[in-house]
Amino acid sequence: MHSTNILIGGEAGQGLATVGELLSRALVRGGYFVVVTQSYESRIRGGHNTFAVRVGAEAIDAPAEEIDVVVALNDETVLLHLPELSSSGLVIADASFCDADERCVRVPFKDLAPKQYVNTAALGVVCAVLGVDRGIVSGVLEEAFGRKHPETMEENRRALESAFAWCAGRPESSRPLPPAASPSGTSRLMMNGNEAIALGAVSAGLRFAAFYPMTPSTTIPLALVGMAGRMGLVVEQAEDEIAAINMAIGASYAGAPSLVATSGGGFALMVEGVSLAAMTETPLVIVVAQRPAPATGLPTRTEQADLEFVLHAGHGEFPRAVFAPGGVEECFHIARKAFFLAERHQSPVFILTDQFLADSYRAVAPFDVASLEWVRPGADPAAVSAPYLRHALTESGVSPRLLPGASDHLVVTDSDEHTEDGHLTEDLGVRKVMVEKRLRKLAGIRAETIPPEYEGSDRPELLLVTWGSTRGAAREAAAALRGKGLDTASLHFSQIWPLAPEQFLGRLKNAGLVAAVEGNATGQLARLIRRETGFEISERVARYDGLPITPQYILRELSVEGA
Amino acid sequence: MHSTNILIGGEAGQGLATVGELLSRALVRGGYFVVVTQSYESRIRGGHNTFAVRVGAEAIDAPAEEIDVVVALNDETVLLHLPELSSSGLVIADASFCDADERCVRVPFKDLAPKQYVNTAALGVVCAVLGVDRGIVSGVLEEAFGRKHPETMEENRRALESAFAWCAGRPESSRPLPPAASPSGTSRLMMNGNEAIALGAVSAGLRFAAFYPMTPSTTIPLALVGMAGRMGLVVEQAEDEIAAINMAIGASYAGAPSLVATSGGGFALMVEGVSLAAMTETPLVIVVAQRPAPATGLPTRTEQADLEFVLHAGHGEFPRAVFAPGGVEECFHIARKAFFLAERHQSPVFILTDQFLADSYRAVAPFDVASLEWVRPGADPAAVSAPYLRHALTESGVSPRLLPGASDHLVVTDSDEHTEDGHLTEDLGVRKVMVEKRLRKLAGIRAETIPPEYEGSDRPELLLVTWGSTRGAAREAAAALRGKGLDTASLHFSQIWPLAPEQFLGRLKNAGLVAAVEGNATGQLARLIRRETGFEISERVARYDGLPITPQYILRELSVEGA
Amino acid sequence: MVSIEDYGAYETAWCPGCGNFSLLEGVKRALVMAGLEPRNVLFVSGIGQAAKAPHYLNANVFNGLHGRSFPVATGAKLANPGLAVIVESGDGCMYGEGGNHFLAAIRRNVDVTAIVHDNQIYGLTKGQASPTSEEGMKTKTQPGGVILERFDPVAVAVAMRAGFVARSFTGAVEHLAETIRLAVAHRGFALVDVLQPCVSFNRVNNFAWYKKRCRELPSGYDPSDWTLAMKTAAEWGDTIPIGVIYRNDRPPFESHVPALAKGPLVGREVDRSALAAEMNRIGGAHGSD
Amino acid sequence: MVSIEDYGAYETAWCPGCGNFSLLEGVKRALVMAGLEPRNVLFVSGIGQAAKAPHYLNANVFNGLHGRSFPVATGAKLANPGLAVIVESGDGCMYGEGGNHFLAAIRRNVDVTAIVHDNQIYGLTKGQASPTSEEGMKTKTQPGGVILERFDPVAVAVAMRAGFVARSFTGAVEHLAETIRLAVAHRGFALVDVLQPCVSFNRVNNFAWYKKRCRELPSGYDPSDWTLAMKTAAEWGDTIPIGVIYRNDRPPFESHVPALAKGPLVGREVDRSALAAEMNRIGGAHGSD
Ligand SMILES: Cc1ncc(C[n+]2csc(CCOP(=O)(O)OP(=O)(O)O)c2C)c(N)n1
Ligand SMILES: Cc1ncc(C[n+]2csc(CCOP(=O)(O)OP(=O)(O)O)c2C)c(N)n1
Ligand code: SF4
Ligand code: SF4
Ligand SMILES: [Mg+2]
Ligand SMILES: [Mg+2]
């Protein structure tokens, strides 16, 4: 898969994410595909951060390791990333940062732009080097700063121009991208996983969200806050995560489709609330954006180690659904599905994402929002006979849910065990049927389980099993192995629970060797599959150093010849 | 197994638990074995509560269903429990409560004692009926009230005497217990599961406990509070469960062996703290006394549905141990083991109990406290070289733990990922080795796993698998089935995690049919065993109506012929 | 016209003689005085003896977790401001487990009324000290007496300039009903801390103890005077003032939220063209922004 | 004799120009003035930019969870009262996530000193409103401005009659060091709320803003006068008083705990015969009790 990998490096506070975003936007607008990997420290200024943009003329879906172009905003970046540079690669850096290596493009930034416009000049240089159309770049720059900071626009424009001009004289430093498969001016959008979740949620009818800030989840409420006024949402920063989930439950009970987004430690505080949502049969969507733990761990890095935690979070037994989108587009669609499922089965529904996917910008085709339906909470009061029983026993386990205030029917529910009318009870016979009622809902949820995605031959020598954000890396690794003559397939789970073994057990059994590729140390999906099917996945590719799994990492860990 | 089952019933606030406790105490002092089952509502006055004492001349270990003697403190008790009465059984009740059934002993309580001493008279009647030595009963009564309420002692004594006198004239209502195997005056103690945990913990060196009240865990801190002054403990009621676990972690870090006790919803709030204990490698013992959930559920009833929750509680991956004592004596020994294990492996250790066991009084042989060792936290500072590294990388994963203030070595730890010296880091290489270091500790914990207890032939037709408080019921059911010619064995897990399959997998494979007997609806231990071994337990006996599993329940659910 | 019968009459799980009975009565009377129909009232409670109260009348009820009634009420009110939302729970629930939400509720000033059954004890769990228990009070779990200083919800609420802060007593049902009525009428957060004897566990602060001390605020008392209110709030001894101790007219949270200007969130349609614009803005489509 | 060098000097992860640097300096100076050696000092912190502070000096450090430093400190202090325990964290950590523990710490009055880096913002998570953010302040997550009323830790602490309540400012290092010294010397809970400019996210309350307003309490100010303290605590506008605003001499929690009368819990032997007696008492063995 041909692609070009550009890494922008520098300190927090130097503005490298802005350069990265503008570059990515220009590339997407130019018709390219991108996969962005953001790596940053838990601090505001200093340290070492990177923003990597992998660009492809064709669709790509995973980060890469080898770097083709480094844009170094400080000397440390040169030092740290030279070893990862391809032999034909380039380092774009200030002349003072870089002299030891002939791959350095020593840019005289202070001649090109005043100090505060050096980033714009760097953007110009990298775009010129890659052959990105100057008009597109300046358009992107204009949109970013033109309206908000018109006073600086002229200087920005000038910096960009001098960068392009300077590069024009250095054809040896040009590394033009292959032409994009889709023409410039394409309508593809650039979006990261968290933005796609927010949009999907709003398109599905989200009306209320509560949150307490926690990386890498915060950009979900941030995206919601950004559209709250125009879309008619209430997005409230709560005093803590316990409040957040209880607020969302209250809002959902009253009829507003609701979401909470958090990360591991914050989710730990929500666990009691999860159990409350289940007991009161209140629809709720919970996004858990994973990061390395235990405890505070590495707040700004990535991991996939909360699968078992989320799957079993909450005291007592109750149904739930757990999704793990494999890419940005899927973030949108799964967010939608989560809301419908939560309402239909009156249960908590989880979306497991992670820092890599949350922050990973991609080029996505616009969603067909003009025709999408949304959740309309609650049943029709007129269709319900009196006395209204909020928790009426039914065959499916789902009871007609009315909204308080919508009719003369009173809506009563309780975190204690309750009778059909929602009032607390000590009747142990009622207890038994209520447990069974709630658990019956699992069958309905299972009937909607997204089948795992399989790619490969029917009887592959090797099968890579993944979930969540590692999908793209495994598919690319499988393709690479096939290219080397090893018949390799991939099986990706975008839904972790409930599992429907009939959807995938045959695939596991038909493979010569099965390897679980997971961003954790203990192989949590592999354990779950064994619990549910008895099938033991014998090989594992595990990563838990805070970085996303790449195709190269998989090939290395499998120690496949010549990878 | 011959036994007599006595059930005392009435409203909350009528003092039936006092009658039950005194009766049990008298029986234990008389050399009998008892198994007490307490069943009460989540209210202070009114409703319907029972206190059942199953008495045996030989050791017994499970509750029974059929009742031999009902002591009815109100008429509702008669109504509710007549159907459970054995054909030769008796109802002891006020003359006004009971006339329809010839098994009624219609006691003229108002003739025997003034109103506030009716309970004492009832105690006298039941003791007389059972042939309990009058001296023992009055001794027990004396100890209970003599010192605290000397002014009422005389009336109490008189009520007891008139009860015995009244019974003396009614030999037809006598149901004397068989003679106790152990002579009267034996030194056996009467104790419930929570008291045994508290004593075990203190014997193991507990110095600090924090709690927030929650049934059925509260009697653990209550027992600790009762000895705090004399044993030199600090037992603090926290503002919430989050505070409780963090206090205990702070105390343990500083060198005081610490415990928290709670139930499902309270534990849900502690989940983040569990992860903190793991990350900072702070020893901690956490008791989770299970009750029916989700959410508030049935606050005063029993269930075993938090196994998977506790096993996976906490974000990120780290080792832990989970115990589930099968009886009151084991509560003591497992509490001790938990403290040693927590200190040795610097990890969170769980004890899963439940309302049934927590409240179940039994006759236990006194523990040999005179020779028991206790935990001595922390390593010897003199044996540690400078610079001191709190989280030094070692082969076992365990680093020498020093206590702050004990030497010039500074003790630094962090909920963020940290370097060996405990300071926070963003180094992803360090991250990797720290994950591995922590996870290595699991091997050490596993080396100490308590083997499951097996009873039966080598190749039984049926094998009953249990954990926690259902041990006795399953063993008794197995014995009953053997009595009926079905070769039945039992396999009991007092430790749930880590499992050591080599200890039990052969047993599972050698049985004709395997049934998991669990106080939950989904078969949580069965699922775990499959996850860890691939072995699928095909049969299940599940209970989730809030009541403990009895031998009779197992036989019924297995629908074994003639059970 | 709504009548007290509309709110029904139920068997309770409370102890005979408990102050909760009068409290229930006071709540019902207040609702009738306020002219509220059951269908438009939502009670949110936590866990405890007090928290069972909403089960004993006709209304919409969300009986949630111990300590968490404020956030549930906040969410429900913001979703549907048309509901009259009343939080009713015990002192342990609201000031102990729920302490952080109490602070936030005051600051957030959403239009909910909090009725706290303040029996200065944990009733349902059998008599442990609560945040409002008196220093030195002996309980089974505090056999040496409570060491922590009594939490004074009224003083803290006044110090934080809560919108409406009142105290009442179950031994003064008229006063109680009227105070609750005022609280419900107040637009914004309103606290009614109700002194409520627990006959089973609180032997110190019993009916007589409260009766002797509770004194209605003098007529002419100006609850808008913060300094006076702070001084009044500090009175807790031989006399305990009851009544509306402090109030101001800070606009409620809801009035600041643009999305609520168009009415409740419940039942709204998704504006698909607005959504398309948001998608394009986020996705950086040409010309949008 | 302990010197400032004993407390070391480290690279930090803070932004250049941040108020945290002076705060760190003030803390070190106070410890030296107090004559405390690093080995006898325990810092407990939470999560946030402020919470990193203990990593930048020599001492025992327990850097725990966001919002949970008070309970950890309480446990550690009770286990070993010989340690000087200092809680150091941010406004979000201590008054937001940790609000309930803040209330309890005041009431419990364990001898810990709380130093709060109050930058009126969530720094580490990039600039959301904190409990102490001013009403109306605009942030990315509060684009329409903060709606909630500012939480005033000093006012609440005084209203609750905390043992020691002070405010200081990073722009007055001498004052800060002396205030912290007094707080550490106080036996019982002591709060030092330190106004600390955040150059990256708080554009409203910057150095100049604080500098212009902060005014030391007049000499002769009597911090034992609660009414005066309450009035002083209410001042937050053109002038903001700094200094020890309120103090009393309530004995600390530890002095009420029988088990601590014999010294720290750490390192004690189990009294086996006492244990046997307890076992027999619980188990109801003949003649015991
Ligand atoms: C998370 C959690 N912790 C503890 C409990 C146990 N609990 C139930 S009610 C209660 C105290 C109730 O006291 P209060 O709120 O004052 O109500 P009261 O019973 O006195 O009316 C407690 C601790 C619980 N249900 N949930
Ligand atoms: C349970 C939990 N929720 C949220 C976070 C994320 N978080 C880390 S620091 C912080 C806010 C810090 O603000 P403050 O305490 O004021 O410290 P500052 O950075 O301003 O010094 C938050 C929300 C977390 N680590 N844990
Ligand atoms: S325990 Fe106390 S508060 Fe609860 S119902 Fe009984 S008397 Fe009332
Ligand atoms: S973000 Fe603010 S508080 Fe944090 S270090 Fe930077 S300037 Fe200081
Ligand atoms: Mg109470
Ligand atoms: Mg801050």
Side-chain angles (χ1 to χ4, degrees), chain A residues 463-492:
Chain A
L463 174 63
L464 302 180
V465 176
T466 58
W467 61 279
S469 71
T470 47
R471 171 180 178 269
R475 289 178 67 194
E476 187 169 328
L481 290 170
R482 285 195 296 272
K484 288 178 204 299
L486 184 69
D487 185 2
T488 307
S490 63
L491 180 71
H492 170 76

Side-chain angles (χ1 to χ4, degrees), chain A residues 212-213 241, chain B residues 272, chain D residues 47 49-50 66 90-93 119 121 123-125:
Chain A
Y212 187 84
E241 287 86 351
Chain B
E272 195 192 13
Chain D
I47 299 297
Q49 293 285 67
H66 182 56
D91 46 327
C93 201
N119 55 9
I121 200 84
L124 187 56
T125 47

Side-chain angles (χ1 to χ4, degrees), chain A residues 296 317 415 426 436 522 544, chain B residues 42 296 317 415 436 522 544:
Chain A
T296 311
E317 298 173 295
S415 85
E426 295 266 0
E436 290 160 357
T522 59
Y544 43 87
Chain B
S42 182
T296 310
E317 299 172 294
S415 84
E436 290 160 358
T522 58
Y544 43 88

Side-chain angles (χ1 to χ4, degrees), chain B residues 44, chain C residues 14-15 18 20 49 119 123 196 198-201:
Chain B
I44 306 306
Chain C
W14 290 326
C15 313
C18 175
N20 283 338
Q49 294 286 68
N119 56 8
Q196 171 246 317
C198 167
V199 298
S200 291
F201 296 110

Side-chain angles (χ1 to χ4, degrees), chain C residues 48-50 89-93 116-124 128 130-132 196 198:
Chain C
Q49 294 286 68
S89 227
D91 46 327
C93 201
V116 184
H117 298 222
D118 190 351
N119 56 8
Q120 305 191 255
I121 200 83
Y122 284 4
L124 187 56
Q128 300 82 12
S130 90
T132 56
Q196 171 246 317
C198 167

